[in-house]
């Protein structure tokens, strides 16, 4: 059985980590190995950690309203680290009009309050599965 | 990163490429077919030169914080360091929450600090099956020191003492009777003992209690890892212990024992899968399990 490793991170000056921790636990209970990096990380720190941990996906959480700036910044950092193939998913307090914006920037799934945990788990599974197909 | 030939991957990891190091560890951890050729291609000289240090102790004693402090001092000396941080896997879902990295994020952007969080994946001895391989991959990538942080341990998880060159047991005041109970096992097999959170009440009593059961009293160090107090001393002690072990050829002996033990552990791990399948495949006659096991073993390995 294949084990998926994922990184859950909170970029920027945002200490509200209940959502991130909830998702980390839900993924753990769904059989993922979840690396949690804690609050207030820079995009470069998140990308470097994702590379070192060889994760199949990165999940970002933002409650501060800075998602439109920070989520794409994480994508840029991953590209710079030669890890553009790692899919990034994001969630938090994100207005509807920003969702398309983020998806166009390359965030593969965006979740808002009320998204069922099962839907989030499925999105992570799909993203990881796809990433693993391109591995050795 | 798309698929790479094992030879290419090994070449890139020898150059310290972070992604190749990480991918090599994954391939071995996931028991991929190319794992063996990666391991056999590693630079033996670098493996010989590296020092592996086990950091073990009960949950909450401060292992990760102490590891973080050691990283700080190692980097001050420009020593490239690898860290393997092990946390338990769920016996029910096989999932895991790997949270040790949080205490090491000060060094997240330092390319010469290679951190890997690993889940136990069913192994019970306090480390994971692939920890030894991960250690060697990090060493081959140029890490001069590799710190292996075990899961929070109880009384019987002692695998780290055979896996690492030097093992440090981290304790903290306030664990009370649990400490007493631990005395019989792990205290006998570690090289150094650290009383962390030494500024907390009860530290002196713990020091006194522990001192009685030790081979030599200078094996105990006191630290306050969150303040980096006593941690530079700890590193000095580790490096001088390494020097001594190398001079007396003991490091080499320890490694040979360690490789043997790891081979036994891996054999049992691989064996268990096949044995389980065998047992489940045969009709259960209600025969005593001990007798059945002996019959089965005689069939598999005629003694």
């Amino acid at each position: 059985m294949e084990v998926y490793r994922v990184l859950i991170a909170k970029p920027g000056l945002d200490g509200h980590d209940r959502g991130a921790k909830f998702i980390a636990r839900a993924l753990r209970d769904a059989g993922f190995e979840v690396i949690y990096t804690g609050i207030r990380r820079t995009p470069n720190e998140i990308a470097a950690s994702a590379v070192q941990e060889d994760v199949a996906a990165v999940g970002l959480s933002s409650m501060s309203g800075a998602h439109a700036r920070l989520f794409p910044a994480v994508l840029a950092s991953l590209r710079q680290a030669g890890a553009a193939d790692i899919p990034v998913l994001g969630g938090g307090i994100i207005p509807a009009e920003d969702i398309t914006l983020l998806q166009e920037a390359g965030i593969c799934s965006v979740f808002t309050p009320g998204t069922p945990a099962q839907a989030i788990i499925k999105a992570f599974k799909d993203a990881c599965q796809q990433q693993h197909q391109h591995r050795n | 990163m798309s698929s790479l030939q094992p030879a290419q991957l090994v070449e890139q990891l020898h150059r310290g490429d972070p992604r190749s190091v990480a991918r090599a560890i994954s391939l071995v951890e996931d028991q991929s077919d190319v794992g063996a050729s990666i391991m056999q291609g590693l630079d033996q000289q670098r493996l010989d030169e590296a020092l592996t240090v086990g950091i073990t102790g009960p949950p909450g004693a401060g292992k990760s914080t102490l590891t973080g402090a050691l990283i700080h001092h190692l980097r001050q000396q420009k020593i490239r360091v690898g860290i393997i941080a092990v946390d338990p896997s769920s016996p029910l879902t096989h999932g895991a929450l790997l949270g040790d990295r949080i205490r090491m994020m000060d060094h997240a952007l330092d390319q010469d600090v290679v951190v890997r969080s690993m889940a136990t994946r069913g192994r019970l001895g306090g480390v994971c099956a692939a920890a030894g391989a991960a250690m060697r991959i990090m060493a081959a990538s140029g890490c001069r020191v590799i710190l292996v942080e075990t899961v929070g341990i109880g009384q019987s998880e002692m695998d780290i003492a055979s896996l690492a060159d030097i093992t440090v047991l981290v304790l903290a005041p306030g664990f009370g009777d649990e400490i007493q109970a631990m005395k019989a096992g792990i205290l006998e097999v570690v090289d150094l003992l650290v009383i962390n959170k030494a500024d907390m009440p009860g530290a002196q009593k713990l020091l006194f209690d522990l001192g009685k059961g030790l081979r030599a009293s200078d094996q105990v160090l006191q630290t306050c890892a969150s303040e980096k107090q006593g941690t530079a001393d700890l590193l000095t002690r580790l490096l001088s212990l390494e020097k001594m072990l190398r001079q007396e050829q003991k490091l080499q002996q320890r490694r040979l024992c360690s490789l043997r033990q790891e081979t036994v552990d891996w054999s049992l791990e691989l064996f268990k899968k096949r044995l389980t399948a065998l047992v489940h495949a045969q009709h259960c006659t209600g025969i005593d399990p001990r007798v059945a096991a002996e019959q089965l073993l005689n069939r598999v390995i005629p003694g």
Side-chain angles (χ1 to χ4, degrees):
Chain A
M1 198 194 71
E2 210 154 19
V3 184
Y4 294 134
R5 294 165 58 83
V6 295
L7 187 91
I8 298 295
K10 282 191 67 67
L13 294 176
D14 174 9
H16 301 88
D17 60 354
R18 245 182 110 143
K21 283 178 177 160
F22 173 79
I23 296 303
R25 251 193 101 139
L27 289 168
R28 186 203 80 176
D29 290 342
F32 289 80
E33 290 181 357
V34 184
I35 295 119
Y36 181 55
T37 56
I39 54 174
R40 302 192 188 108
R41 298 300 164 209
T42 67
N44 281 343
E45 286 174 345
I46 293 168
S49 302
V51 166
Q52 285 196 342
E53 299 288 358
D54 194 30
V55 292
V58 172
L60 301 175
S61 159
S62 168
M63 305 290 173
S64 67
H67 51 269
R69 152 97 184 78
L70 288 168
F71 287 9
V74 172
L75 290 170
S77 294
L78 280 168
R79 271 196 299 276
Q80 212 178 353
D85 58 304
I86 301 178
V88 178
L89 301 84
I93 311 289
I94 294 166
E97 61 264 34
D98 286 355
I99 294 178
T100 352
L101 215 79
L102 290 173
Q103 283 172 336
E104 277 168 11
I107 303 294
C108 75
S109 296
V110 180
F111 314 110
T112 52
T115 310
Q118 282 310 317
I120 298 175
I121 290 164
K122 180 163 187 318
F124 270 93
K125 246 181 208 156
D126 293 345
C128 290
Q129 201 170 17
Q130 220 177 349
Q131 209 271 346
H132 269 232
Q133 273 169 8
H134 299 288
R135 292 190 172 201
N136 296 51
Chain B
M1 182 166 146
S2 52
S3 306
L4 271 181
Q5 290 302 314
Q8 259 178 302
L9 193 71
V10 169
E11 192 211 314
Q12 291 184 15
L13 86 83
H14 279 147
R15 275 190 271 126
D17 171 54
R19 265 214 115 177
S20 305
V21 174
R23 182 56 53 83
I25 295 173
S26 300
L27 288 168
V28 176
E29 185 178 34
D30 292 339
Q31 300 187 30
S32 147
D33 297 335
V34 297
S37 50
I38 292 172
M39 295 314 292
Q40 276 159 346
L42 299 181
D43 181 341
Q44 187 60 43
Q45 198 188 338
R46 284 193 179 167
L47 303 197
D48 292 341
E49 283 166 6
L51 169 74
T52 58
V53 179
I55 313 272
T56 192
K63 295 181 295 298
S64 301
T65 310
L66 190 78
T67 304
L70 286 174
I71 300 170
H72 171 82
H73 300 305
L74 283 161
R75 291 305 295 142
Q76 278 187 325
Q77 298 183 33
K78 304 262 189 286
I79 295 174
R80 179 172 156 96
V81 56
I83 298 96
I84 297 162
V86 189
D87 271 325
S89 296
S90 158
L92 304 176
T93 66
H94 308 295
L97 192 76
L98 311 175
D100 293 327
R101 186 178 260 277
I102 296 176
R103 317 248 185 275
M104 303 167 199
M105 287 305 282
D106 285 354
H107 309 277
L109 294 179
D110 187 342
Q111 293 240 345
D112 288 320
V113 178
V114 183
V115 182
R116 177 66 172 225
S117 312
M118 298 179 89
T120 52
R121 297 195 179 179
R123 194 53 90 79
L124 296 175
V127 283
C128 51
M135 251 164 46
R136 291 188 279 279
I137 289 168
M138 286 180 177
S141 85
C143 294
R144 166 56 193 105
V145 175
I146 293 123
L147 308 171
V148 184
E149 185 189 327
T150 70
V151 302
I153 61 154
Q155 295 167 316
S156 61
E157 294 105 321
M158 287 177 262
D159 284 4
I160 189 64
S162 85
L163 185 71
D165 296 330
I166 298 174
T167 304
V168 179
L169 175 64
V170 186
L171 298 172
F175 285 82
D177 285 346
E178 287 170 42
I179 303 299
Q180 305 300 323
M182 284 174 68
K183 280 185 177 177
I186 187 97
L187 270 177
E188 296 165 286
V189 295
V190 298
D191 299 289
L192 281 174
L193 225 146
V194 168
I195 296 177
N196 190 35
K197 308 187 190 183
D199 56 340
M200 301 250 290
Q204 287 309 309
K205 182 170 186 309
L206 180 58
L207 179 68
F208 177 76
D209 285 346
L210 289 171
K212 289 183 290 197
L214 287 175
R215 286 168 285 176
S217 59
D218 66 348
Q219 291 170 304
V220 192
L221 274 88
Q222 296 185 71
T223 60
C224 186
S226 58
E227 307 297 319
K228 297 193 176 69
Q229 277 173 23
T231 46
D233 275 355
L234 173 61
L235 179 60
T236 311
R237 289 286 294 278
L238 287 170
L239 294 177
S240 64
L241 189 56
E242 179 199 15
K243 206 170 161 190
M244 199 188 82
L245 288 171
R246 281 191 197 274
Q247 275 167 358
E248 296 173 3
Q249 313 289 321
K250 281 188 185 155
L251 201 79
Q252 219 179 345
Q253 282 171 28
R254 283 189 181 197
R255 290 226 176 136
L256 290 175
C257 285
S258 167
L259 285 175
R260 272 204 199 103
Q261 186 58 47
E262 219 184 311
T263 310
V264 171
D265 289 344
W266 263 118
S267 310
L268 289 173
E269 178 132 351
L270 299 173
F271 222 58
K272 195 173 173 182
K273 253 189 236 166
R274 293 201 205 168
L275 275 180
T276 309
L278 259 175
V279 171
H280 282 272
Q282 71 184 16
H283 180 62
C284 186
T285 53
I287 176 176
D288 178 68
R290 173 77 174 78
V291 179
E294 209 149 323
Q295 286 176 358
L296 183 67
L297 199 65
N298 281 330
R299 235 175 65 205
V300 181
I301 314 177

